Amino acid sequence: MDLRKLKTLIDLVSESNISELEITEADGKVRIVKSDGAVAVPMMMAAPVAAPVAAAPVAAAVAAPVVPEETGYIVKSPMVGTFYRAAGPNAKAFAEIGQQIKEGEPICIIEAMKIMNEIDTDVGGTITKVLCENGQPVEFGQPLFVIE
């Protein structure tokens, strides 16, 4: 996919009400997700290995947020999706700060492709931090909880 086409897609997402766009073509795949600052950011792009890539100026650089080092065991997201602390809007949260949990207990749900995936903890202990907001999109490997 050439850079002019990519720039057009980024402009389309940033000027519209859509928050995410994914396009797959024979020469690659691009996924654009609108960030909180209303700027569209290409999330991934795969191109054939044989395709030559010309150097071009970057339209915008996005720095990853600085996450302070956490102590304790960090439960990370096993998938990309939407983070939910409870099974439903009026349901009690699976895990609260200060709550004792046992290994294998469910601590949240991640919705991916309209499927609710219950996420279990790998260790027992006390929940010391919840690092995501309810309804927040999460990436693979993103920290969700800290357990001491």
Side-chain angles (χ1 to χ4, degrees):
M1 183 170 298
D2 69 76
L3 292 175
R4 282 175 272 153
K5 189 172 185 180
L6 184 59
K7 172 78 169 112
T8 303
L9 291 172
I10 291 171
D11 291 342
L12 174 72
V13 170
S14 65
E15 294 171 1
S16 70
N17 289 335
I18 62 173
S19 61
E20 187 173 322
L21 174 68
E22 185 169 327
I23 296 177
T24 304
E25 293 181 341
D27 62 339
K29 177 178 177 179
V30 67
R31 179 172 174 231
I32 302 170
V33 179
K34 191 183 295 186
S35 67
D36 292 338
V39 176
V41 178
M43 295 302 288
M44 71 176 113
M45 183 172 171
V49 175
V53 178
V58 177
V62 178
V66 177
V67 179
E69 279 294 315
E70 300 290 344
T71 59
Y73 181 80
I74 298 176
V75 178
K76 296 181 180 179
S77 177
M79 65 187 71
V80 174
T82 305
F83 173 85
Y84 294 106
R85 294 186 62 194
N90 297 324
K92 181 180 177 262
F94 288 110
E96 296 286 352
I97 293 175
Q99 178 181 343
Q100 289 285 329
I101 57 167
K102 295 178 185 166
E103 182 178 343
E105 282 187 37
I107 56 172
C108 67
I109 290 178
I110 296 182
E111 177 188 5
M113 298 178 63
K114 304 293 181 198
I115 298 173
M116 300 299 184
N117 300 284
E118 207 170 76
I119 307 303
D120 300 332
T121 181
D122 297 338
V123 298
T126 304
I127 301 284
T128 58
K129 288 188 181 178
V130 179
L131 303 172
C132 293
E133 296 293 324
N134 199 40
Q136 173 183 342
V138 293
E139 295 293 327
F140 173 80
Q142 179 175 340
L144 304 175
F145 295 90
V146 178
I147 301 174
E148 295 283 333

